[in-house]
Amino acid sequence: MDNQVQEIVGAVIAALGTILSAVSSIPSQSARIVDLFKGLDIVGNTLQAAGNALEADGQRGPSLEKLGNEIQAIGNSTVIAGLVLDLEEENEEMLVITGNWLQALGGAAALGDEFEDPTAAGQLYNIYGNLLQSIGNSLQAIGGTINLKEKGADSGNSGDKVIFIGSWIQAVGSVLSVIGQLQEENQEASDKKR
């Protein structure tokens, strides 16, 4: 697969994954819906990990964008481990929180790469996209931490609202990143034809 196509496909797959994970963050009281949403979150994070890995693999040479995508893929894999491994509930939640922090770090690293070439097409979309993804993942980690602290006090899951907001902010950021990636790769293809 051509590197440019690979990066676009990876960005689209990652965006679909973030949207699925955002849908799974909708608060629910029904045990059936909670189980369905957990499965949806696993699929969403798997798509995000695969998409980020494809994007990283499509990068030519070392860059902050490549490193950021690799870190995000590791973060998604960590979240998946927290969702599927049969550990004590607190340890599962810690893995999910750590995975979200790693994704936020990866988004911040990729954001740094966008400032290197001020003439790149889609740069503004990529800047806002990576910034929103970092903010969204950070909010998810904060919400998870709130829920973890409240578990000991049995005072509820008030962090779920923060996770919900963070999930949708991340989803919007990933869609903006797809738009930016499409513009960037289109410009690179046009430059090659000249």
Side-chain angles (χ1 to χ4, degrees):
M1 184 184 309
D2 178 79
N3 286 359
Q4 291 175 325
V5 173
Q6 185 175 344
E7 286 186 66
I8 291 169
V9 169
V12 169
I13 290 171
L16 289 173
T18 60
I19 292 167
L20 288 177
S21 288
V23 169
S24 77
S25 73
I26 297 170
S28 175
Q29 300 300 322
S30 166
R32 281 186 168 169
I33 298 296
V34 168
D35 287 343
L36 173 71
F37 282 172
K38 183 176 180 181
L40 196 60
D41 200 16
I42 292 167
V43 171
N45 274 285
T46 302
L47 288 172
Q48 289 176 65
N52 286 319
L54 277 172
E55 285 185 88
D57 189 53
Q59 291 288 313
R60 293 167 287 285
S63 68
L64 282 174
E65 184 178 2
K66 181 179 183 101
L67 177 64
N69 285 320
E70 291 169 341
I71 293 170
Q72 284 180 316
I74 292 167
N76 287 116
S77 299
T78 306
V79 170
I80 294 165
L83 295 171
V84 301
L85 291 178
D86 188 21
L87 303 170
E88 291 181 27
E89 188 174 349
E90 185 174 308
N91 291 335
E92 290 174 358
E93 291 180 25
M94 287 300 296
L95 281 172
V96 172
I97 292 166
T98 301
N100 281 316
W101 281 124
L102 285 169
Q103 288 179 70
L105 176 63
L111 174 63
D113 190 67
E114 296 304 327
F115 294 109
E116 288 184 12
D117 184 6
T119 63
Q123 182 192 33
L124 200 55
Y125 285 106
N126 285 326
I127 288 171
Y128 286 132
N130 284 312
L131 180 62
L132 287 174
Q133 288 183 72
S134 277
I135 291 169
N137 283 119
S138 297
L139 286 172
Q140 290 173 68
I142 291 166
T145 303
I146 291 168
N147 283 345
L148 191 61
K149 287 180 181 177
E150 287 180 352
K151 287 243 189 286
D154 288 330
S155 57
N157 288 332
S158 62
D160 285 351
K161 291 177 185 173
V162 179
I163 292 169
F164 175 77
I165 292 167
S167 294
W168 283 102
I169 289 172
Q170 180 192 6
V172 169
S174 70
V175 171
L176 289 176
S177 291
V178 169
I179 295 168
Q181 193 70 41
L182 285 168
Q183 289 182 355
E184 182 181 323
E185 299 307 330
N186 189 32
Q187 180 187 25
E188 286 180 18
S190 296
D191 291 347
K192 284 182 181 179
K193 289 180 182 177
R194 291 181 191 165

